[in-house]
Amino acid sequence: MIHSLAGGELKEYSRFDVAKVEYLDTQERAFALVACPNIAENDLVIIDFNGQEREARVLRVDKNVYEQNFPISVKRLKKIVRKV
C-alpha cells in the first residue's frame, strides 16, 4: 500500500552543518554537529561527549548537508559546544 494513502506523513528532512573532527586525546576521528557559529578548519573546539567535554581539532566543515543524504543519523552525532 502506498504510504500516503495509509494515513501516514512523510518526514521533512533538514539541513545541517557537520564537521569532521579529530579528538586531541586519542587521535580518533568522528563527525560532529556544528551548533555554534564561525567554526572553520583547524579550529580547536569543545565537544559535548555524553556529559563530558573533550577537545578536538576541526579537519573539515561541510555546510548545508541534507539530513537524508548523510550516512549517520543526526540524532547520534555529538555537538560542538564552543571554540577553545
Side-chain angles (χ1 to χ4, degrees), residues 22 24 39-46 55-58 80 82-84:
E22 181 178 61
L24 298 181
I39 297 296
E41 195 173 309
N42 291 322
D43 283 348
L44 291 177
V45 295
I46 300 293
E55 286 190 14
R57 179 178 308 282
V58 177
I80 295 176
R82 66 181 183 276
K83 284 186 183 182
V84 174

Side-chain angles (χ1 to χ4, degrees), residues 15-31:
R15 295 185 180 272
F16 299 95
D17 292 345
V18 179
K20 185 172 185 179
V21 299
E22 181 178 61
Y23 293 107
L24 298 181
D25 54 354
T26 62
Q27 278 68 43
E28 175 188 357
R29 294 181 177 190
F31 286 100

Side-chain angles (χ1 to χ4, degrees), residues 44-56:
L44 291 177
V45 295
I46 300 293
I47 296 178
D48 180 23
F49 195 85
N50 299 329
Q52 297 179 354
E53 291 185 345
R54 292 178 68 184
E55 286 190 14

